[in-house]
Each structure stands twice: as structure tokens, then as C-alpha cells.
Amino acid sequence: MIKRLALAFASLTALLVVSNAPAQFPGMSSSKHYAWSDKSLSPDARADMVIKEMTLDEKIQLLHGPGWGVLMSSAPESGPLTRAISVLGFIPGIPRLGVPDLQMTDSNQGVSMAGTKGRYATALPSDEAMAAAWDPALSYEIGTMIGHEVRALGFNMSLGSGINMIREPRNGRTFEYKGEDPLLAGTLAGQELKAEKALHIITDLKHYAVNDQDAGRIVVNSIISKRAMQESDLLAFQIALRDSDAGAFMCSYNRINGIYACENPYTLTDVLKKQFGFRGFVVSDWGGTQSTVAAAKAGLDMEMPGNDSFGAPLKKAVESGEVPMDRLNDMVHRILRTEFDSGIFDDPPQQDAPDVLKGLEVAQKTEEHGIVLLKNSAGQLPLNAGAIKSIAVIGGHADAGVISGGGSSQVSPAGGNAVPPPPEMARNPLAFFLLPVYHRSVPLKGIEAKAPHAAVKFDPGTDPAAAAALAKSSDVAIVFAVQHESEGMDLKTIALPDKQDALIEAVAAANPHTIVVVESGGAVLMPWIDKVAAIVEAWFPGIRGSEAIANVLFGQVNPSGKLPITFPKSEADLPHPTHIDPPKADATHVVPKLPGAPGPVGMMMGIAPPFDANYDEGLKVGYKWYDAEKKPVLFPFGYGLSYTTYAYSGLKVTPGDSTEVSFTVKNTGKRAGSEIAQVYASLPDSAGEPPNRLVGWTKIDLAPGESKQVTVPVTRERLQIFDEASDSWKLVSGQYTLRVGASSRDLPLHQSVSF
Ligand code: GLC
């Protein structure tokens, strides 16, 4: 399996072929009528009608498919594979029964790799930016935009959205996830996928589950208690499923308590299909299927890519009775009922030009709402364009574009990578992961447009002395600091790479009006924090990053974003100060060293000996850890400044099945703004929980001087703990304290109630 996966990875970027698949899905002749075309029937009834007509081979055919260069090593000359829109993931349908092809695409922050098909897709800001907006309505808008582009590009199955918990801030896929709290991540992903499903595509939640680091992801064993899993990683999936009724779950590469996630009866059947009531299907992560009989019986329904497990071996297992026919029919039923339930049978996508302008609008709105103002001493920001005579713009390739994350979620940069890789790396198939892609939204131009009367000069930041000299001769200095992340690897550290800390120190020493704009996948360390005047976290900014960042810096937008992840003071404060690295791969493990790739691929792609990641911090993920350990942090979960100020008062808690938490927020400043007011709960000591947990929030638009009374409902579910003895959630009786404020560490209002 390891060899196959290594091949798959190596071929991932080399073998994406362009095919002009027909707009209609062949085999789904919209005019032909089948008994199961009757939309008045339930998805389950329609699926059962199709199954009755299927041969064993046709059933097996639906349970696996080519992708990633596996079984599709070049542009196919003939047969169903010619219909594949991309080689990422494709399952041929059954023309005689009108069962459509499954055309799959990644779409975390936009449809990925459209460029390899000669097409365009909107590069949204990263998922942490979406999370920092704390805005379910915006997430629905994002899902609508993604859904339209998925269909316009001819796909009928989307493989986003990732909601793994940020236990490990060095996780290379932090940028693809929605923070450290299950309620926040689950709620936002739920709205995003609800919107996508409304447009008739199959939606997918991933990576299920506890795939909380990417280094060594295919051999790591996540060790975690049931209670911790249920109250953190699994809870995010449960909330997202409840709100979106997603069609698919993608099981992850890792093991969970010793059993691979794609053949784990507890997570796949006991939790997902029984406890959560999931009616859709489980698809493996690409190359994550580990067996035939064990996987099928544990609850895996689809192998991607390839047919090592669910092709001929599954047919043989069914014929021998090792896999009961009932289970095979359940696998097929889940896939077909999802195809009916999602609408891809009745409303297949028509290929079209994506709505570029709508995409730009949503990308800019997401970044403007996701930017977090972390520091603003002496009102350094917003900048007064009329008064500033000279601006130094330094580093971060701000004269070329904005950085984005690597791996399967990469959206092709319109016009090509704004910062092309060095030639020796360009041909490296892993460049796709190892090298940053910059989208051609140019921050320098955005700043120049805002300050047409100022002298705006750029310095690349490679020579701190030169950068400092320019800063010294300028009214203000804006340093862009970038931190690349990618799937398949973790960061060695969350300190900024490439001597950027020294650059910022040098610039700040030369000009007290130094502003730092951080373009990162997640939290970064800031040893220079006391030396700069202002700090803005812009995440991976997306295709309209320049306009959004400039609008915030010059005040057209009042920043309202709040952190979905904690920024620690030091890695020594993390639950695992030393990253849980895969052990050095020994000679018995395939560790291909590709020319030009920094470091052995094994460290990155997990082709190393099996090892344990013991998540003994348990349910204390993120802020819950720092609160329980009473550790100071650089910036707390839920933190974000504004160009105005807010005051909280008048808390009133009305206990009930849904406890009503009412309070007033006043805009005490001179600018209109939006405040994300958060509600946390402290459970009774006997519950054995961390000091606080997020139980609700609301976003309030307020004019200067305006007050609004708001009510946040807190359901009993949100106050329960998972009791392992009874294998169920329960409400512990005792005194609860509801706390309200601007962040997890700024909660001025509180009131106790008993349940
Ligand atoms: C990758 C990723 C997963 C993605 C899939 C298809 O390995 O883990 O997020 O959807 O393969 O590209």
C-alpha cells in the first residue's frame, strides 16, 4: 500500500489530464424515464429500485474508481474513463440504469486545480479566514459560490470541507480547517455544505477523524479517549452533519486507538452511522483504504482511488460470504440514495463559465470579514491616506501577490504562480506541496491605490539593512510576513521562517510606525510584538487579498474578525511542546528522495514506521488547554480588535431546555462596526471539564453610540458531557456559570444558574 501511495503522490501533479467531458452526464439521458425517476418517491425507495436491477459487477463498480493517476496513467483513449473531467476522482456510472458518473473535485477554499483542466476557479481565502469571520450566513454564501463553481466546472461531488481540530498548531493543513472549537468549526462547515447541497452536489466532511497532524499521516496512530474524541473532534463532525445533512464523510489515513480510520467499526458504524444517524456513504481518503473485508464490515463504503480492495477482492469476498450481500447492498444503497438525495440524478450539472465577478465579491468579503486586527497602539491604524507622504512596503512578495497553501486544496493561480519556483524545483512533482503558490492579487498595488499622493516604495526584505533604510525614510512601514503551509507535512515551528523576525525587528527599530501584515496558515510566534505599532492577521488572503487588506489598513473596512485559534506565547506552552515527528524512516520503509525536495519525502508523506500521537490533553483542545493549565497566551481564542470599542452590560440568563442568554452591547466609539459577542459556560466542578467552553455567539452591527440587546440561545446539548460509562451524553446537575464578552479571556458578564 505504501508503494502505491508513493506512486499516487508522485503522479498526482504529473498526470492531471485535460478532458473535455460532455456537459451532460452520459448514461443520464434526461429524456429517458426510469421507474426511479419518480421524484415523489424517497431517495431510499428510488435507490432500492435501482439495486433490484443491478448485477453484482455493477454494484462493485460503484464502490471504487480511478483517480490521482491510479488506473489512469495517461489520457485514456477510450471507454468510460474518457468521461472523467479530471483524474482527481471519478466513478463511471451505469448508463443502462441512468446512474450518472461521479465526478469529484476538492473545494475547500475554491475548486482546486481547475487550471490543469484549462479552466478558472475562484481562489477564496483560507478556511481559517472563513472561521475568523464567525459568520454562519457568510459561510452559507461561501458554500453557494463554491457550489456554483463546482457545477459550472462539471463536477457533481465536492470533497471539502475539512474540520479537523487544531490540536497541533504546526499541522501543515491548519489553513484548510476551521479552528480549535467544535461548535465554531461544525456550525460554519454545516452552513457551507448546506448551501452546496442546495445546489445539487454531493457534499463531504473530512478527515474523519482525529487526523490532527499531517506529518506521518498514513502511519500515525492517534491515541485519544472516547470522551475526549466525542467532546472535540467528533463533535465538530456531528454538528456539521446535523446542519448540512452532508452526503459523504471521508475517513482519514491515520489509525485511531490502533485501528485505521477507514476500517474502524467504532467511528464508522457505532458513532457515525448509529449515534449520528448518518445515511450517506463513507469514502476513503485517497489511498486510505487498508483492507477489503475488515473495511467493508467496519463501515467503509467506497475506496478511492483504485480497486485494490473494493474491486475484484470485494467481489470475491461477497461471493465467498466473507462480506454479506446485505452489507454490499447497504454500501450501494448509501451511494445511490445520496445521489438521489443530493439531486445529481434529477439535476445534473451543466458545464459553464464560472461567475468570476461573484467569486471575486465573495472572496473579498470573506477576507475583509476574516482579517483580525491583533494590535493597534496609539491608533496607528487606519492609515490617513491624505496625511501620509511616504510608505515603505516590505517583504512577503507583496509586489507580486498573496501566498496560499499547498496540496490537494490548491486553487490554480489565475495567470500562473506570481512567484514561480526555482527551475530545479519546478519539475519536482512534490513542488505542488513543497513550494508556495502566490495568487496575483498584489498588496503593493492595493496600497498605492489607496494613497495616490504618497511615495510608495517596495523593498523585498531580503536585506534587513536596506529595508530598514527605506523604513527610516518613510512615514510608515508595512511589513508583509508570510508562512507557507501544505498538506502532507507539518511545520517544524510556528516561528516565522526565512529570518523574517530579524527583518521585522530591523524595520521596527528604524521606524516606530511599523505595521506587520501576517499571511499565515495559522498561529505564528511574534518576538517583535512590543516593537511594532500594529499587527494584522490576514491568513491566506485569496484572490482579492490586496483589496481587502488595503481596505482594512486605510479604514474603508472596520476589521471585525476574531481568532478561531489561540496564538501561544511559546511552543513550550503547547500540549506537546515538541512536535510528534514520524520516526526516521529506516531502510525497510520506502522513503523516496526526490531531486530538489528538501528533506526525505518520508518525513513529509508519512512513509515511515508506524508511531503514536498520544493526545493525552484529551478534550482540552486550544483555549481549553491554556485555560485549564492557567497559561498566558499571546492572543486568546475569540480575540480581535476593531477601530471602535464596545461595552457589555445587562446580562440576564433564563434557564430552560434552551437557556436564553440576553445582554446588551454598546458601540462606545466613533465608528460603525460589527462585534462578535461570545457566550461561554463553566460547568460544575464534578463534570471534570476545563474552565470554559464556547456555547454560542452572535455578530452585532452597531452604529457609533448605538446599543442593542441580544439573546443567544444555549441548548442543553451544549452544556452536556460525554459519559463513557453509559456511552452517552448527559447533563451533570449542579451550578453552571454563563459568561459573556469579547473573547475567551475577556468575559465581563457572568451569571450562575443551576440545572
Ligand atoms: C488528499 C487529501 C484529501 C483530498 C484527497 C483527494 O490526500 O487528504 O483532503 O480530498 O486526497 O485529493
Side-chain angles (χ1 to χ4, degrees):
M1 198 285 286
I2 282 182
K3 194 167 178 325
R4 179 162 60 84
L5 196 69
L7 171 70
F9 266 115
S11 59
L12 171 63
T13 48
L15 296 165
L16 296 167
V17 294
V18 179
S19 83
N20 45 5
Q24 278 287 350
F25 283 91
M28 181 59 205
S29 50
S30 48
S31 57
K32 186 164 182 185
H33 187 79
Y34 303 88
W36 45 87
S37 303
D38 180 351
K39 294 180 201 168
S40 68
L41 299 172
S42 73
D44 291 300
R46 298 171 77 179
D48 285 341
M49 293 165 82
V50 180
I51 290 174
K52 283 199 180 74
E53 305 296 324
M54 293 171 77
T55 65
L56 176 58
D57 283 340
E58 288 171 332
K59 292 177 183 177
I60 296 291
Q61 174 188 318
L62 289 190
L63 306 182
H64 66 277
W68 261 18
V70 175
L71 303 182
M72 207 188 288
S73 55
S74 63
E77 296 305 318
S78 62
L81 299 192
T82 56
R83 301 196 301 261
I85 292 177
S86 90
V87 290
L88 171 75
F90 172 77
I91 292 190
I94 304 169
R96 77 177 185 88
L97 299 175
V99 177
D101 298 334
L102 272 189
Q103 304 269 9
M104 306 172 182
T105 183
D106 283 302
S107 60
N108 266 49
Q109 47 242 328
V111 177
S112 69
M113 296 189 273
T116 55
K117 305 175 259 310
R119 302 289 299 275
Y120 168 85
T122 300
L124 284 163
S126 52
D127 285 69
E128 293 299 353
M130 300 175 195
W134 292 58
D135 190 336
L138 175 60
S139 289
Y140 193 92
E141 243 187 288
I142 289 166
T144 301
M145 189 230 88
I146 291 174
H148 278 302
E149 295 200 5
V150 164
R151 285 176 59 90
L153 289 163
F155 297 100
N156 57 11
M157 181 168 173
S158 151
L159 295 172
S161 158
I163 49 172
N164 293 87
M165 290 288 95
I166 307 303
R167 290 179 176 279
E168 168 49 78
R170 293 161 293 207
N171 183 345
R173 298 189 84 169
T174 298
F175 74 97
E176 285 189 61
Y177 299 147
K178 295 180 168 65
E180 62 194 30
D181 182 84
L183 179 61
L184 178 64
T187 302
L188 298 181
Q191 290 306 309
E192 184 183 329
L193 296 194
K194 182 177 178 180
E196 289 185 25
K197 182 176 180 180
L199 295 172
H200 300 155
I201 54 179
I202 294 176
T203 55
D204 168 66
L205 283 162
K206 66 185 181 182
H207 304 85
Y208 185 75
V210 206
N211 176 187
D212 294 342
Q213 69 174 58
D214 241 48
R217 63 183 183 172
I218 62 172
V219 290
V220 69
N221 175 30
S222 299
I223 297 174
I224 183 169
S225 75
K226 273 188 183 176
R227 173 176 178 181
M229 211 176 350
Q230 289 270 1
E231 293 192 26
S232 56
D233 293 71
L234 298 182
L235 181 57
F237 284 101
Q238 184 175 18
I239 292 169
L241 175 61
R242 178 200 65 195
D243 294 351
S244 68
D245 196 16
F249 265 55
M250 182 186 289
C251 51
S252 51
Y253 291 117
N254 56 292
R255 283 169 292 150
I256 308 167
N257 297 324
I259 302 174
Y260 275 106
C262 290
E263 54 184 29
N264 193 306
Y266 175 68
T267 50
L268 296 182
T269 296
D270 299 347
V271 174
L272 180 57
K273 295 180 179 179
K274 290 182 178 168
Q275 180 187 337
F276 293 0
F278 177 57
R279 297 173 298 172
F281 64 93
V282 177
V283 57
S284 72
D285 198 342
W286 266 229
T289 304
Q290 303 293 339
S291 62
T292 296
V293 175
K297 293 173 85 169
L300 180 66
D301 300 303
M302 182 187 282
E303 170 190 18
M304 284 304 289
N307 55 15
D308 289 4
S309 302
F310 280 12
L314 180 58
K315 179 177 177 182
K316 188 160 159 279
V318 170
E319 287 169 333
S320 71
E322 274 190 289
V323 172
M325 180 57 82
D326 283 355
R327 176 61 187 117
L328 179 75
N329 287 334
D330 176 51
M331 296 160 83
V332 177
H333 179 93
R334 286 174 172 276
I335 292 166
L336 289 175
R337 69 112 29 220
T338 300
E339 294 189 6
F340 287 116
D341 180 57
S342 64
I344 71 167
F345 249 81
D346 304 319
D347 177 22
Q350 309 298 322
Q351 291 198 49
D352 198 350
D355 185 342
V356 175
L357 299 180
K358 184 64 180 171
L360 295 176
E361 177 196 321
V362 173
Q364 182 164 335
K365 181 176 181 181
T366 302
E367 177 63 1
E368 287 175 347
H369 288 235
I371 283 178
V372 183
L373 179 60
L374 294 175
K375 180 179 181 182
N376 189 22
S377 54
Q380 176 63 60
L381 293 176
L383 297 173
N384 177 348
I388 293 177
K389 302 245 180 315
S390 52
I391 302 174
V393 177
I394 297 165
H397 293 290
D399 63 333
V402 289
I403 198 168
S404 64
S408 57
S409 68
Q410 179 67 263
V411 175
S412 301
N417 190 344
V419 179
E424 72 277 8
M425 278 300 283
R427 287 179 298 283
N428 178 335
L430 293 174
F432 184 73
F433 296 88
L434 296 174
L435 291 175
V437 166
Y438 283 75
H439 293 290
R440 291 171 182 271
S441 176
V442 183
L444 176 61
K445 288 186 180 164
I447 292 165
E448 287 169 338
K450 292 293 181 190
H453 306 301
V456 182
K457 293 199 178 96
F458 178 73
D459 179 287
T462 45
D463 170 2
L470 175 62
K472 192 169 179 59
S473 65
S474 307
D475 288 349
V476 295
I478 305 172
V479 184
F480 283 81
V482 291
Q483 171 214 56
H484 180 238
E485 283 191 347
S486 175
E487 171 185 346
M489 66 175 82
D490 289 348
L491 299 174
K492 289 286 178 215
T493 169
I494 55 172
L496 286 171
D498 305 327
K499 300 189 177 65
Q500 293 179 95
D501 287 337
L503 171 64
I504 294 167
E505 300 262 2
V507 170
N511 188 325
H513 302 290
T514 292
I515 298 147
V516 180
V517 178
V518 181
E519 296 177 23
S520 64
V524 297
L525 300 179
M526 300 181 181
W528 30 263
I529 185 169
D530 297 330
K531 299 174 185 152
V532 301
I535 305 168
V536 162
E537 172 60 64
W539 314 107
F540 292 159
I543 191 63
R544 295 287 281 186
S546 167
E547 291 79 0
I549 291 167
N551 278 339
V552 167
L553 292 179
F554 286 86
Q556 283 72 26
V557 168
N558 182 2
S560 57
K562 297 214 172 175
L563 293 179
I565 48 178
T566 303
F567 277 43
K569 277 184 178 295
S570 157
E571 289 174 44
D573 296 329
L574 298 181
H576 303 279
T578 304
H579 181 272
I580 305 172
D581 269 352
K584 291 276 177 287
D586 55 34
T588 59
H589 288 82
V590 174
V591 184
K593 175 81 173 70
L594 290 156
V601 167
M603 295 296 285
M604 182 179 91
M605 293 299 171
I607 303 166
F611 65 105
D612 289 346
N614 188 354
Y615 294 127
D616 48 10
E617 73 279 4
L619 53 85
K620 292 182 284 188
V621 181
Y623 66 96
K624 294 170 184 167
W625 165 260
Y626 300 105
D627 290 351
E629 298 293 315
K630 298 185 176 54
K631 288 179 181 288
V633 296
L634 197 60
F635 296 109
F637 173 81
Y639 175 89
L641 298 175
S642 166
Y643 293 148
T644 187
T645 49
Y646 301 99
Y648 287 72
S649 63
L651 176 62
K652 182 170 179 297
V653 177
T654 312
D657 269 352
S658 175
T659 293
E660 297 205 336
V661 180
S662 302
F663 53 93
T664 298
V665 182
K666 179 176 183 176
N667 180 340
T668 50
K670 298 183 174 55
R671 281 200 52 145
S674 292
E675 171 68 341
I676 298 167
Q678 300 152 47
V679 182
Y680 293 80
S682 307
L683 274 59
D685 293 346
S686 59
E689 288 280 319
N692 276 327
R693 65 162 71 161
L694 179 73
V695 291
W697 72 91
T698 184
K699 199 164 185 176
I700 315 153
D701 296 336
L702 290 166
E706 184 182 12
S707 287
K708 273 182 190 168
Q709 186 187 28
V710 293
T711 299
V712 175
V714 177
T715 62
R716 289 170 86 84
E717 271 180 316
R718 294 282 69 78
L719 300 172
Q720 294 176 334
I721 65 167
F722 186 81
D723 174 47
E724 289 191 2
S726 62
D727 202 27
S728 65
W729 288 86
K730 71 175 197 179
L731 190 71
V732 172
S733 58
Q735 178 174 291
Y736 291 69
T737 303
L738 279 301
R739 303 176 194 280
V740 173
S743 85
S744 62
R745 293 219 169 160
D746 176 8
L747 299 168
L749 308 183
H750 50 86
Q751 185 180 326
S752 296
V753 292
S754 294
F755 288 102

